[in-house]
Amino acid sequence: MTDVTVVGAGPVGLSAALAARARGMETVLLEARPRGETRPGSRALFVHRATLDRLSGISPGLGEAVAARGLVWSTRRTLWGGKQVYARSYGAFASPPFTSLPQTVVEDLLREACDRAGVVSVWGDPVASVVPRRDRVLVRTGSGAAYDAAYVVGADGARSRVREQVGVALEGTTAAAEFVVVDVADGPEPAPAERVFHYRHPAAGGRNVLLVPFRGGWRVDVQCRPGDDARRIAGEPARWLPDVLPQVPDARVTWVSVYRFHQRIAGSLADATGRVLLAGEAAHLLPPFGARGMNSGITDAVEAARAVHEGDTGEYARRRRDAAERNVRAAGIALDHLLARSPVQRAAQWTAAAVAPLWPRAGRWLDSAPYGPRLRSVRY
Ligand SMILES: Cc1cc2nc3c(=O)[nH]c(=O)nc-3n(C[C@H](O)[C@H](O)[C@H](O)COP(=O)(O)OP(=O)(O)OC[C@H]3O[C@@H](n4cnc5c(N)ncnc54)[C@H](O)[C@@H]3O)c2cc1C
């Protein structure tokens, strides 16, 4: 019997396995995908400073390695109907306040760190059943292999088999509004790295558009309007991309997807025995704006390893559910602002855009509101 079985080798499962090894626990990591199979798309780009520190806490130098592979943009701008209403540039940083890079790069670095730390990983064999007992948990995979451990951390994503096996459901809502996300590779001369939010972009039919640079490319998020055919917009980026991302001429599209804002949390982040914990997207689904998904998932991972080590899983379930609830509320505030469904909200945004040249606070509000409040009190 091992100390802990981690299910799922996404960023959260890899972090949980690494954190468990850092505490000296025998750890087995089980993943459905074959080793070396890379998932497409930039996905979670933005890694907070606190997450970089957390990664270095479980594997010395890992946060620095992630930061070295990423990019820090030094300017953020917001435009309203094509006119700039806010801009801020930062000087040099002693240490990066965040980094922006494809999720796959973070996963590669985590996987290498897991190998060095002695995590036993088994790839290409999905977990089929999870049976918790009073003093252990038995996990069986599709191939019939059995793994016996004192604890299981389910980090197997949104359609978690572990969550289903222990009879826990995701509760919450999914907004009807759709977003189209397009990844674009850098041209031969990388454009200045600026994060730009456009309210009512004239070249995107008046839709809101977010441009986020990352190491190696750009991510473009277009907020569809009610009645839009998101798949049609996603299917023909060549029609609108050159006007939306003019800083990258002859843009080469590397990934296109459509997503919705989910605000869902597992009914409990631990099963009734306290031997099976849920972490990351197995435990909560959060929208991309605000970068809460992967960042909060990595905190779950580190906290899950601590809880298993200390035998204090009830406290894990309570604290991480509290954090998820606050993240869901913050995401709801961001979504409310982005959708601006009421005339009062629309008037407030329009007024802020009109007075921003004279009153910078209004521009600052327009710049920050799409991401929801910053939760200084929450460790994501
Ligand atoms: C279009 C899109 C855009 C996104 N943009 C952002 C963003 O901008 N910012 C942000 O923070 N997040 C973003 N995300 C979300 C981000 O990708 C997730 O937060 C992150 O991947 C969650 O990590 P995880 O490890 O919990 O789950 P996952 O990454 O889903 O990993 C789960 C792993 O479990 C494995 N697995 C599943 N079932 C089994 C099984 N039965 N047995 C064994 N293994 C199994 C899967 O193969 C997978 O490797 C985006 C996601 C998408 C799809």
Side-chain angles (χ1 to χ4, degrees):
M1 180 167 95
T2 49
D3 295 317
V4 55
T5 301
V6 177
V7 183
V12 176
L14 288 161
S15 301
L18 197 53
R21 278 303 294 146
R23 289 180 177 270
M25 292 187 273
E26 291 300 315
T27 307
V28 173
L29 174 64
L30 304 176
E31 165 60 44
R33 285 176 293 133
R35 189 172 176 118
E37 182 186 286
T38 303
R39 290 183 290 181
S42 54
R43 294 168 186 252
L45 285 176
F46 190 97
V47 186
H48 288 286
R49 172 81 249 164
T51 303
L52 295 173
D53 292 343
R54 223 154 267 147
L55 292 175
S56 285
I58 56 175
S59 177
L62 179 56
E64 290 79 356
V66 170
R69 298 282 295 274
L71 168 154
V72 179
W73 57 78
S74 54
T75 298
R76 44 197 283 184
R77 298 195 291 126
T78 288
L79 289 84
W80 178 279
K83 281 200 187 136
Q84 184 163 298
V85 292
Y86 180 83
R88 181 160 176 209
S89 289
Y90 308 88
F93 300 106
S95 63
F98 65 87
T99 194
S100 179
L101 74 175
Q103 182 175 320
T104 47
V105 179
V106 176
E107 290 175 14
D108 288 347
L109 291 167
L110 277 164
R111 204 164 42 242
E112 287 161 20
C114 280
D115 289 344
R116 282 194 304 275
V119 171
V120 175
S121 53
V122 180
W123 298 77
D125 194 7
V127 163
S129 73
V130 178
V131 181
R133 303 234 164 85
R134 198 179 47 78
D135 59 345
R136 58 180 54 193
V137 189
L138 184 65
V139 171
R140 271 189 201 282
T141 61
S143 73
Y147 299 88
D148 205 7
Y151 291 92
V152 164
V153 177
D156 50 342
R159 295 188 180 86
S160 170
R161 180 78 172 177
V162 175
R163 190 182 65 228
E164 178 217 285
Q165 286 284 295
V166 297
V168 173
L170 278 184
E171 298 161 358
T173 58
T174 296
E178 291 183 303
F179 290 73
V180 170
V181 51
V182 177
D183 282 356
V184 171
D186 266 338
E189 290 292 319
E194 298 181 343
R195 190 238 60 191
V196 187
F197 189 83
H198 287 264
Y199 288 87
R200 306 177 179 211
H201 198 313
R207 298 174 181 85
N208 294 340
V209 177
L210 173 66
L211 306 178
V212 178
F214 59 87
R215 179 61 65 85
W218 289 76
R219 172 167 163 161
V220 182
D221 286 56
V222 178
Q223 180 186 338
C224 296
R225 288 189 303 221
D228 273 349
D229 180 350
R231 265 127 211 105
R232 193 180 61 76
I233 296 172
E236 40 192 44
R239 280 173 68 119
W240 49 270
L241 201 55
D243 295 325
V244 164
L245 195 65
Q247 54 272 60
V248 185
D250 303 320
R252 184 166 61 84
V253 172
T254 54
W255 183 57
V256 182
S257 187
V258 174
Y259 65 85
R260 291 181 177 209
F261 267 40
H262 297 289
Q263 293 167 261
R264 295 183 182 271
I265 310 178
S268 169
L269 270 64
D271 78 320
T273 65
R275 295 214 163 255
V276 180
L277 304 184
L278 299 174
E281 289 213 329
H284 43 71
L285 293 183
L286 299 164
F289 278 59
R292 297 183 172 86
M294 186 177 75
N295 285 285
S296 71
I298 290 177
T299 309
D300 291 346
V302 173
E303 293 289 315
R306 184 200 54 76
V308 165
H309 190 242
E310 295 172 6
D312 189 11
T313 54
E315 180 66 5
Y316 167 85
R318 192 186 61 71
R319 284 192 18 205
R320 294 314 297 160
R321 205 189 134 89
D322 278 359
E325 281 174 2
R326 273 179 269 184
N327 278 319
V328 157
R329 271 199 298 277
I333 292 168
L335 181 64
D336 215 31
H337 179 86
L338 286 166
L339 298 181
R341 279 168 287 213
S342 79
V344 174
Q345 284 170 309
R346 288 195 292 277
Q349 292 182 7
W350 185 88
T351 307
V355 304
L358 303 169
W359 195 40
R361 249 180 102 168
R364 202 157 57 238
W365 175 67
L366 285 171
D367 184 72
S368 62
Y371 311 98
R374 292 187 69 182
L375 302 176
R376 290 183 197 284
S377 60
V378 179
R379 298 175 64 210
Y380 281 103

